[in-house]
Amino acid sequence: MKIQKGDAGYIGQRKRRVIIKTILEFGVVIALLLLGIWQTGDRLNLLTVVAILGCLPASKALVELIMIVPHHSVSQEIADEIQLKGEHLTCAFDMVFTSEKKIMPVESLVISNHTVCGYTSNIKADANGIAAHIKKYLNANKWNKVSVKIFDNYGNYVNRIEDMNEIYDKENKELKEQEAAIKQVILSLSL
């Protein structure tokens, strides 16, 4: 089963794919370079030019690898607990948000009505800064009345999920569509 963006385990799967992609692309570059030298006996040939041009996508893959390697997927136990406690809520996992100045990992988000709550375990992360960044992006996408709160304490986050789950309106189908739209906007902001 393919893990989609926003599912638990996404970062781990993406790491594996990016590692393979980077190795293959640099392998093709090296192979072209060696083939050109082997065929002509000189490094000044057309295949060397093609190999140099092949460094562009390979370098792009390397940059993507460098961006994703320091981050980890949320554990399956935590993901299961969050989905169990927030059974009616819209959940998203394994997100990494970037701004001009910093990288902000968020292990989990839950969405209920016009409320978004998230959890980050990163000690260096500024929970209020992450919330402001997401809020700014939601406002730019016409979701002005959405409140965003990021927790750095897991116990408080789970308590908030339980509270949100208790007051959730299960009958409102339009609400689920709005939550899915908010989730898509937030996932588009994530790596």
Side-chain angles (χ1 to χ4, degrees):
M1 183 176 134
K2 183 179 177 188
I3 298 175
Q4 301 288 327
K5 190 175 194 178
D7 293 342
Y10 175 74
I11 290 178
Q13 181 187 50
R14 182 144 178 218
K15 266 189 210 180
R16 288 186 293 277
R17 284 186 177 172
V18 172
I19 287 170
I20 292 169
K21 179 181 175 185
T22 304
I23 291 170
L24 288 175
E25 288 187 8
F26 275 109
V28 168
V29 168
I30 292 168
L32 286 172
L33 184 64
L34 293 176
L35 181 65
I37 292 171
W38 178 69
Q39 282 187 337
T40 63
D42 189 19
R43 65 178 170 83
L44 302 175
N45 59 60
L46 189 59
L47 285 178
T48 301
V49 174
V50 173
I52 290 170
L53 291 175
C55 286
L56 294 172
S59 297
K60 182 181 177 202
L62 182 62
V63 168
E64 187 177 353
L65 179 64
I66 291 168
M67 290 290 292
I68 201 78
V69 161
H71 305 289
H72 305 284
S73 290
V74 66
S75 72
Q76 193 61 45
E77 295 81 32
I78 290 176
D80 291 341
E81 180 182 7
I82 289 170
Q83 287 176 332
L84 181 67
K85 303 237 183 222
E87 63 181 318
H88 303 297
L89 308 178
T90 302
C91 299
F93 299 96
D94 287 354
M95 292 156 290
V96 179
F97 301 106
T98 58
S99 70
E100 299 83 24
K101 298 179 183 173
K102 54 189 161 190
I103 296 174
M104 304 165 281
V106 175
E107 280 82 6
S108 168
L109 280 175
V110 293
I111 305 166
S112 174
N113 198 353
H114 284 85
T115 303
V116 176
C117 289
Y119 169 68
T120 181
S121 64
N122 190 324
I123 299 166
K124 298 177 186 176
D126 174 22
N128 294 330
I130 297 170
H133 182 68
I134 294 171
K135 176 79 172 152
K136 178 178 140 188
Y137 196 74
L138 286 169
N139 286 342
N141 284 279
K142 310 285 191 261
W143 291 101
N144 300 329
K145 295 185 173 151
V146 177
S147 65
V148 181
K149 171 75 173 153
I150 303 295
F151 293 89
D152 53 9
N153 181 304
Y154 184 69
N156 293 345
Y157 178 59
V158 171
N159 290 338
R160 181 66 176 132
I161 290 173
E162 290 171 341
D163 293 343
M164 290 168 67
N165 195 52
E166 277 183 30
I167 60 172
Y168 188 76
D169 182 10
K170 299 168 193 74
E171 304 302 320
N172 193 343
K173 300 286 185 210
E174 185 179 302
L175 196 58
K176 271 294 186 199
E177 293 171 7
Q178 289 177 351
E179 291 169 0
I182 291 170
K183 179 181 175 180
Q184 283 308 111
V185 170
I186 292 171
L187 289 178
S188 69
L189 177 61
S190 174
L191 285 180

